[in-house]
Amino acid sequence: MSQKRVIVTVIGEDRVGIIAAVTEVLAKYQVNILDISQTILQDFFTMMMIVDISKSTVSLQSLQDILKTLGDNIGMQIQAQHEDIFRFMHRI
Amino acid sequence: MALNYTAEEIMQTIRMVQSENLDIRTITMGISLRDCCHEDMTATARKIYDKICKKAEKLVATGEAISREYGIPIINKRISVTPISMIGESCLHGSYVELAAAMDKAAHETGVNFIGGFSALVHKGYTSGDRRLIEAIPQAMAETERVCSSVNIGTTKAGINMDAVCQMGQIIKQTAELTKDRDAIGCAKLVVFCNAPEDNPFMAGSFHGVGEPETVINVGVSGPGVVLAAIRNHPEWDFNTLASVIKRTAFKITRMGELVGREAGRRLDMPFGIVDLSLAPTPAIGDSVADILEAMGLERVGGHGTTAALAMLNDAVKKGGAMASSNVGGLSGAFIPVSEDAGMIRAVEEGALCLDKLEAMTCVCSVGLDMFAVPGDTTAEVISAIIADEAAIGMINKKTTAVRVLPVPGKKVGDQVEFGGLLGRAPIMPLHTYDPKIFVKRGGRIPAPICALTN
């Protein structure tokens, strides 16, 4: 079954409930999390997820808008980008 | 399934875009207009308009969708067409300005910000269509907003057409005069080439060469800020290390262009032509080729050492970029426009960078004397002589060179002109005023150099 993989990055100041807030939204729209990792990079909380949006109930564009609004609400910068941008740049 | 990327890799990509001004500078759709010829000028104009609008209907929307999905800014969506001198050649009466107006209207209709190809290739001589097009350039540049014009006056294989060089000095002066109320902006859309590439996606010199397919997508990447960020604050590196870091950075930048070009071609159902891996600066602070040269250890760009620094930068960019793309083309190197690069502007204002040094730099960069302003009383003959010098560098070194000069009416050394946007601002540069009239008016052709005999 084919996947449509998107990388979600969440960057900002660490606080309680970031992962919970983001994953709740992803679950609501049937976005499946394939992998997740978090770290503190250059003093910033940084979370990265690879998600599959092939069964998502919303388009990538809508998801981007939803996540951006969520990010604004919880004071984080959230981006969702097609995986290929990272694959092309960092993998041959 | 494991996370395929490290946190550092993901963050590097995001940082390049958000704080180092990495972007796709342009997606340029090349469109052949060879089926638009007609005896009637108005009918030709209509065919040109219809074909451009049909082919490029989805260009801007597609560019915006790709930009959004991948999270990479795509600054410009543009169109290049077959040199119009050929398309209007069959018209019995009328002015080529009508064809430029049709291009301009099509650009507005499709939403692109520039359309290139109001062009003529006269390196070996004029046809009647070439002559009519060139004569129409000043009015076309004054009366249209988005049309770009270029004239190829020399090649390594053909030599330099000095009749055309002489004429282009006058055409540039006329263009400046007709747009003097806007600081000679018409001249910012007019470029004179030697060895013009047929697949260059960058304006103002973009046109769709006669060897190109029906339609094609070419992509120009940018990213001086990314290179600057990679090398700044490392005075301890030797040149091998420096070159290696630039190569690796150029590789990553170009991969981005390759991805966008392939994707745009797929979505628009047309072949992906080339990535032009040029480092194209913008007036934004930190997005400057001059800053890269200074980060290598020069006090100011324009000082001694500048040519060597630029040569190394240009070569390292090409080496990294060539490995990153299946097809590299266009100009592919470092651009050194004056008005579009904050570091270049500063160097001119401080007196560190003069026209002679700029000319030397063009021997090792990817294009030529670009977007520089000179006093309004500069004669057509001096401008022709500047073009001849620059074309000679291109002809002998088997590379593209170009001149995009603005002789701004009413302005003198010490003044500056402000264009805003990507065109930036240009301090008026002093130049030699010794009279080259007899030289440029000799006419005829400077013969092709011995290095042209490669067969």
Side-chain angles (χ1 to χ4, degrees), chain A residues 21-32:
Chain A
V22 177
T23 51
E24 186 194 338
V25 167
L26 295 178
K28 184 176 166 193
Y29 296 104
Q30 298 297 309
V31 174
N32 188 29

Side-chain angles (χ1 to χ4, degrees), chain A residues 5 35 64-65 77 91, chain B residues 1 3-4 13 18 68:
Chain A
R5 306 208 315 177
D35 201 346
Q64 286 170 332
D65 289 336
Q77 185 197 315
R91 297 289 176 270
Chain B
M1 186 216 71
L3 191 62
N4 290 344
T13 300
Q18 291 188 350
R68 189 134 178 196

Side-chain angles (χ1 to χ4, degrees), chain B residues 56-116:
Chain B
E57 190 186 2
K58 296 189 177 130
L59 173 62
V60 171
T62 303
E64 282 167 3
I66 292 173
S67 170
R68 189 134 178 196
E69 279 175 38
Y70 293 99
I72 167 104
I74 298 173
I75 307 298
N76 299 302
K77 275 70 71 178
R78 294 170 170 173
I79 294 168
S80 64
V81 297
T82 312
I84 291 291
S85 65
M86 302 172 193
I87 309 309
E89 193 131 28
S90 305
C91 299
L92 301 174
H93 309 285
S95 161
Y96 271 56
V97 176
E98 190 173 347
L99 305 184
M103 291 167 72
D104 203 37
K105 199 171 142 208
H108 281 90
E109 176 64 28
T110 53
V112 299
N113 62 350
F114 279 117
I115 179 166

